[in-house]
Amino acid sequence: MKLLDGKKVSEDIKNEIAAEVQKMKDNGEKVPHLAAVIVGTDGASLTYVGSKVKACERVGFESTLIKMPNTTSETELLKKIKELNEDDDIDGFIVQLPLPKQIDTQEVLMAIDPNKDVDGFHPENFGKMALDMTTFIPATPFGILELLERYGVETQGKHTVVIGRSHIVGRPMSILMGRKGFPGNSTVTLTHSYTKNISQITTQADIIITALGVPNYLKAEMVKDDAVVIDVGITRVSDDSTEKGYRITGDVDFENVSKKASFITPVPGGVGPMTIAMLLKNTLLAREQKRLKMR
């Protein structure tokens, strides 16, 4: 069994991006600028956005963090997005999800300029991704592709089973694994809460990508020998034996599944760190595209 070490690979990617940024500085070019908007005080979201800001510093990007109160109206948030769309200094920005219930998430995502949508959630970017065109790939699926590529995991002709059909991970992942090229060229089955006899499907899978958010859902008996297992799930599970009173658990019963898998991602330290690294990569791409347009 080989561990797909997202922590290590994400550090490699950040080093590569930092080297690119240094070249930009040496050439007197503008460095990429990423902005993040957070509405409210959700603890997990604040931690996540904080780590994005730190990652920007680490690679030499400029970053802006915009905090808005929980009571922010949809109109106020859309006004802020319009400002960011029109701000030439900002190359890419994200609006941290989830948003408070008074705000329509779809309206917000639609309002972001597709050229600055480094999260890859705008329908225009999603459509381009589905058509194999160059675009911003959502950061988590992008990170999974990068892990598979850097570890040389064979995907061509393989049966990939995706568990979960969210717009952020499951659905884009099912499209990307079936695209032409590497990683890709696999036969994909997308499963979800209405899928019957899911174990019959997962036991036939060469590659399983699970993004359910149900702790320890994928058991050893659901996985065939030498399968590749990618665990996107991340759930806080109460645990009084730990200092924080909880532990982070994935969708996979790691202890038992790892004994059968050929490759597996740990939680934490697998897909999570890759998401932030690929967000930085998308921001670098946004800056590069802008520079080429200005020529």
Side-chain angles (χ1 to χ4, degrees), residues 5-32:
D5 188 344
K7 211 169 175 185
K8 183 199 172 294
V9 174
S10 70
E11 283 304 313
D12 293 344
I13 292 165
K14 285 177 196 165
N15 289 336
E16 291 159 17
I17 293 171
E20 286 289 321
V21 173
Q22 193 53 54
K23 272 189 214 160
M24 289 175 163
K25 285 179 178 170
D26 294 344
N27 294 335
E29 292 172 25
K30 179 190 177 304
V31 300

Side-chain angles (χ1 to χ4, degrees), residues 98-226:
L99 290 165
K101 59 181 182 297
Q102 72 271 18
I103 298 172
D104 182 336
T105 300
Q106 206 53 55
E107 283 293 319
V108 167
L109 296 180
M110 290 283 285
I112 296 169
D113 178 351
N115 295 312
K116 293 189 177 190
D117 168 41
V118 287
D119 254 340
F121 295 160
H122 192 284
E124 186 179 309
N125 289 327
F126 197 98
K128 282 181 173 178
M129 178 199 70
L131 294 169
D132 269 351
M133 294 164 74
T134 302
T135 189
F136 300 119
I137 297 172
T140 301
F142 196 7
I144 293 167
L145 293 179
E146 197 75 15
L147 270 180
L148 294 171
E149 187 175 337
R150 293 197 183 217
Y151 277 92
V153 176
E154 189 55 65
T155 60
Q156 186 170 309
K158 301 295 184 185
H159 181 197
T160 297
V161 171
V162 179
I163 306 174
R165 55 179 167 183
S166 75
H167 295 171
I168 293 171
V169 182
R171 199 163 301 177
M173 211 62 241
S174 68
I175 294 166
L176 292 162
M177 290 302 286
R179 68 181 182 167
K180 286 182 179 174
F182 172 70
N185 283 329
S186 71
T187 302
V188 183
T189 304
L190 179 62
T191 65
H192 44 77
S193 53
Y194 288 91
T195 303
K196 290 178 178 170
N197 306 324
I198 198 162
S199 293
Q200 286 180 11
I201 299 167
T202 56
T203 48
Q204 294 169 30
D206 302 304
I207 301 166
I208 299 173
I209 300 166
T210 173
L212 260 190
V214 179
N216 298 315
Y217 173 82
L218 193 76
K219 306 288 186 201
E221 60 270 20
M222 297 169 75
V223 178
K224 73 174 183 181
D225 287 341
D226 293 329

Side-chain angles (χ1 to χ4, degrees), residues 213-216 233-242 244-251 267:
V214 179
N216 298 315
I234 184 156
T235 310
R236 287 184 179 193
V237 177
S238 297
D239 186 349
D240 295 334
S241 68
T242 65
K244 291 176 180 171
Y246 67 85
R247 59 190 158 81
I248 301 292
T249 306
D251 287 355
V267 175

